[in-house]
Amino acid sequence: MSVKFIGYIGFNNGSETQEAVRSRVLDKDYVEAAAKAQEAGGFDRVLIPFGSNSPESQIVAAHAAAITTTLGFLVAHRPGFTQPTVAARQLATLDQLSGGRVAVHIITGGADEEMARDGDTGTHKAERYTRTDEYLTVLRNEWTAAKPFDHSGRFYEVRQAFSAIKPDNLPVFFGGSSDEAIEVAGRHADVYALWGETLEQVGETVRRVRASAARYGRRPGFSLSLRPVIADTEEAAWKKADAIVEQVRANREAAGLPISGHRPPNAGSLRLLDTASATRRDTRLWTGVAQLTGAAGNSTGLVGTPEQVADGMLEYWDIGIDHFLIRGFDPLGDAIDYGRELLPLVRRKVAEREKLSLALAG
């Protein structure tokens, strides 16, 4: 099982350490620098995020693809706001223009108030996963059908739908911890995405998703999201992590945002927040920022020297993680450091582990 690395282009070189809430303002120079740096650093893909107040992810990906040659793109996409037939053609077009460098990350929903900003005011979480299931069914039909097809469902009805443009290779990434999400993941996910939790929790989720996918004869990959904090010594790395926590705390207090008492609306964040009740878990899992922010998105990391963090990542690889989505709190600078210090180490360790497994098997 190989290993792949996914970086991040968040529209500007900011994070929770610069502002209490990440800015969504588009900085073209940063987007270009981040794409080129992560391509040079050996990242396989970069995630382009989605939000109700964000720049449009597919357009940003198209621009970044035009100035790179090998870097892939993981385009975050929320079902329900674009007809699935239209989205299928948009993504297939981007896949063709980029030379097969696109994947899509399906984001079923967020907080109700965030969904409402784009006009989704009449659905609850279970309905959204039902809608996503149907959306992905139509999307894949549009990508694969050799002749026009009809679809009549609860949320979508199309007649004689057909796309002349098909993707060459367009994996579907998918996340969500609820029972409804795991069911949809089993049917549709090529790669299931998890936030950084303990080894025990990640192993449990991998088993749940594999069991769901097995019912459909499928075996997805798994992506783990982390915010690594690396330094020359372990002591320096933990000091760096502690400084990040204090900066995030100060920023949130200055902005009048809560640093405790969080009750996030989704199962994944609730579970991650429970994990964050202890700042450190396992050997290197660090949850200090998740604790302050209510486990809002990718907010946990591994802390240590590059060698130590690489060993920590290998423990996750051993239980089925074959993609790592990593980003830092100094987005551009950390991405450069990861490409130089971390990615080669993990790849070497994985290759050694695979070589040993082959030798033992032979």
Side-chain angles (χ1 to χ4, degrees), residues 230-254:
I230 57 175
D232 291 339
T233 67
E234 182 175 12
E235 181 183 11
W238 282 109
K239 284 184 177 178
K240 185 176 176 181
D242 290 342
I244 289 169
V245 168
E246 291 312 308
Q247 186 62 63
V248 173
R249 183 193 307 276
N251 288 350
R252 290 185 69 85
E253 288 176 340

Side-chain angles (χ1 to χ4, degrees), residues 10-15 18 23 25 27 30-31 34 329-334:
F11 308 126
N12 61 71
N13 196 37
S15 78
Q18 284 87 47
S23 168
V25 176
D27 180 340
Y30 160 76
V31 168
F329 291 90
D330 172 15
L332 182 54
D334 285 343

Side-chain angles (χ1 to χ4, degrees), residues 50-187:
F50 177 96
S52 62
N53 63 348
S54 298
E56 211 293 310
S57 55
Q58 290 185 57
I59 297 174
V60 173
H63 178 71
I67 61 167
T68 55
T69 57
T70 61
L71 185 67
F73 299 90
L74 179 56
V75 179
H77 177 76
R78 183 170 288 168
F81 304 107
T82 306
Q83 288 294 321
T85 50
V86 177
R89 296 195 301 277
Q90 290 172 336
L91 289 163
T93 302
L94 187 55
D95 171 82
Q96 290 288 316
L97 290 175
S98 68
R101 290 188 281 149
V102 174
V104 62
H105 188 17
I106 298 297
I107 310 293
T108 294
D112 287 346
E113 59 271 19
E114 208 251 341
M115 301 290 286
R117 295 188 193 113
D118 277 331
D120 192 350
T121 59
T123 59
H124 54 72
K125 184 176 72 172
E127 284 181 315
R128 290 171 192 160
Y129 279 111
T130 301
R131 180 175 65 188
T132 294
D133 186 16
E134 189 178 336
Y135 187 95
L136 287 171
T137 297
V138 177
L139 188 89
R140 286 195 182 277
N141 281 339
E142 186 85 352
W143 282 345
T144 60
K147 59 183 180 180
F149 68 93
D150 295 337
H151 173 90
S152 181
R154 177 178 172 187
F155 295 94
Y156 301 104
E157 183 170 351
V158 298
R159 298 174 186 173
Q160 294 298 284
F162 180 76
S163 175
I165 188 165
K166 311 289 188 186
D168 288 328
N169 174 38
L170 214 162
V172 172
F173 285 60
F174 183 89
S177 297
S178 66
D179 290 340
E180 298 95 340
I182 298 295
E183 178 66 20
V184 176
R187 279 195 288 270

